[in-house]
Amino acid sequence: MRIIVTSDVHRRTSALFDIVERHKDNADLFINLGDSADEVEMLLMAYKNLKIECVAGNCDFSSTQLLTKILNCAGKRVFITHGHMFYVKHGYEVLKQKARDVKADICLFGHTHSPLTEIEDGIYYMNPGAVCDYSYGIIDIEESGIMFYTTKI
């Protein structure tokens, strides 16, 4: 299963569309981690069959999206959040505790605009960076394991 992870579009709509164009034929799921509500709505109007999961960020003032979600992706528990509720700009301990509490295999967050991939205590953590800085993440979940990395368009 291939997942494309985006966050923090902040009106850089063309960059979000470029990412979707690049991966629409090879991704099983797109996940957006917030500060992108209006842009995701435009995306869904343009790509009617796009499979996307979203959470709201601190700049998504009128969004009806949840602030956190737990997804089942290829048998893995994926915890998604924008990250502001877990104070990620001041460190990751609150977020990591939440990931452990919900028994996540993968924890995805944004908000800091700083790409990150790390594994701790068997949990894969990813911040894809910010689409407004042309950064996003890719996760491949296979029977042999999980591969994840951030990249730029």
Side-chain angles (χ1 to χ4, degrees):
M1 173 177 215
R2 174 161 278 189
I3 303 168
I4 305 302
V5 185
T6 58
S7 189
D8 297 279
V9 177
H10 295 296
R11 307 279 181 225
R12 188 79 31 95
T13 308
S14 63
L16 182 62
F17 275 72
D18 288 347
I19 293 166
V20 171
E21 270 301 310
R22 180 178 288 181
H23 294 286
K24 66 181 178 160
D25 296 326
N26 66 18
D28 301 295
L29 177 64
F30 289 81
I31 294 176
N32 183 274
L33 302 172
D35 285 358
S36 314
D38 294 338
E39 295 88 343
V40 168
E41 288 300 318
M42 287 186 257
L43 196 65
L44 289 171
M45 286 191 293
Y47 297 91
K48 303 276 189 221
N49 296 322
L50 191 69
K51 186 167 181 191
I52 187 165
E53 289 283 349
C54 306
V55 290
N58 61 301
C59 293
D60 294 325
F61 304 112
S62 61
S63 176
T64 59
Q65 291 291 332
L66 298 173
L67 294 172
T68 66
K69 288 184 183 176
I70 297 175
L71 310 173
N72 182 338
C73 298
K76 301 296 182 191
R77 269 176 85 79
V78 181
F79 175 67
I80 67 173
T81 184
H82 183 61
H84 64 291
M85 295 175 33
F86 301 99
Y87 314 106
V88 295
K89 285 190 176 179
H90 304 286
Y92 302 129
E93 281 314 307
V94 175
L95 176 71
K96 288 179 177 182
Q97 185 58 55
K98 180 67 174 180
R100 289 188 295 267
D101 289 348
V102 300
K103 298 180 177 23
D105 297 301
I106 300 170
C107 176
L108 306 176
F109 66 100
H111 190 53
T112 67
H113 294 211
S114 298
L116 168 85
T117 55
E118 82 178 27
I119 304 168
E120 184 177 300
D121 297 327
I123 301 173
Y124 290 73
Y125 293 91
M126 174 189 275
N127 182 327
V131 170
C132 66
D133 297 328
Y134 304 103
S135 181
Y136 68 103
I138 299 175
I139 303 171
D140 289 313
I141 303 172
E142 304 291 338
E143 283 186 34
S144 58
I146 298 170
M147 186 175 92
F148 67 140
Y149 58 96
T150 61
T151 189
K152 292 215 175 223
I153 54 171

